């Protein structure tokens, strides 16, 4: 066992002399409880930023901290997503930020003939959100995504 108590160097905050831009880096596949239309759901998230050529890397725990602090148990709205994107960008010293949220949303279904309920249909819903600086101006896009299954009788 090594008893060396010296701190490890923080390499991601060192300058990078290679001049390489990283278009998108981050974390994916982490889960948080969120609220969507009044229902609590478990969402799977991805959070990403671009890194300028002068940065060597990203502190991946910051992605989780920002998302957990702002999204866990929160009602997801476009204004909240905008706030999360701006905070991610600022925390990571980036010009761009991205969030991908996906969850199952259950809807009670009734039989078409007898109108008896009790069954549920799961729909995959989510949001792809990104913040980009274009000609010095912030542009935010939020895309709703959904997967619908259909049937006939």
């Amino acid at each position: 066992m090594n008893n060396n108590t010296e701190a490890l160097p923080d390499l991601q905050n060192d300058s990078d002399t290679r001049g390489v831009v990283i278009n998108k880096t981050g974390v994916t596949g982490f889960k948080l409880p969120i609220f969507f239309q009044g229902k609590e759901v478990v969402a799977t998230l991805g959070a990403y930023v671009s890194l300028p050529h002068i940065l060597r890397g990203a502190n991946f725990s910051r992605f989780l901290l920002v998302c957990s602090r702002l999204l866990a148990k929160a009602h997801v709205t476009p204004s909240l997503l905008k706030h999360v994107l701006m905070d991610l960008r600022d925390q990571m010293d980036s010009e761009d930020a991205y969030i991908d949220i996906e969850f199952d949303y259950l809807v009670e279904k009734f039989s078409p003939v007898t109108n008896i309920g009790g069954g549920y249909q799961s729909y995959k819903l989510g949001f792809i959100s990104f913040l980009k600086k274009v000609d010095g101006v912030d542009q935010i896009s939020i895309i709703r995504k959904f997967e619908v299954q259909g049937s006939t009788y």
Side-chain angles (χ1 to χ4, degrees), residues 1-118:
M1 183 170 165
N2 186 352
N3 289 329
N4 187 353
T5 58
E6 291 181 38
L8 292 173
D10 187 3
L11 296 178
Q12 88 255 358
N13 285 330
D14 286 350
S15 295
D16 191 345
T17 58
R18 297 172 296 166
V20 176
V21 173
I22 298 174
N23 293 328
K24 197 173 179 184
T25 186
V27 295
T28 187
F30 63 99
K31 297 189 182 297
L32 288 176
I34 63 169
F35 282 91
F36 179 73
Q37 293 188 343
K39 293 182 183 180
E40 185 174 17
V41 296
V42 176
T44 302
L45 290 89
Y48 318 91
V49 296
S50 62
L51 291 180
H53 70 280
I54 58 171
L55 291 180
R56 185 173 181 157
N59 184 332
F60 292 111
S61 62
R62 287 185 193 161
F63 289 102
L64 300 174
L65 290 172
V66 167
C67 289
S68 292
R69 178 172 46 86
L70 297 176
L71 286 171
K73 299 279 188 173
H75 293 272
V76 176
T77 64
S79 61
L80 176 62
L81 292 174
K82 176 182 176 182
H83 183 67
V84 174
L85 289 166
M86 295 178 95
D87 203 22
L88 267 177
R89 179 192 60 188
D90 294 345
Q91 289 288 323
M92 304 303 284
D93 293 324
S94 178
E95 289 194 10
D96 305 328
Y98 310 83
I99 302 170
D100 187 0
I101 300 173
E102 189 172 275
F103 52 92
D104 288 324
Y105 188 76
L106 295 176
V107 176
E108 186 174 12
K109 292 294 185 176
F110 297 86
S111 75
V113 176
T114 62
N115 202 30
I116 296 173

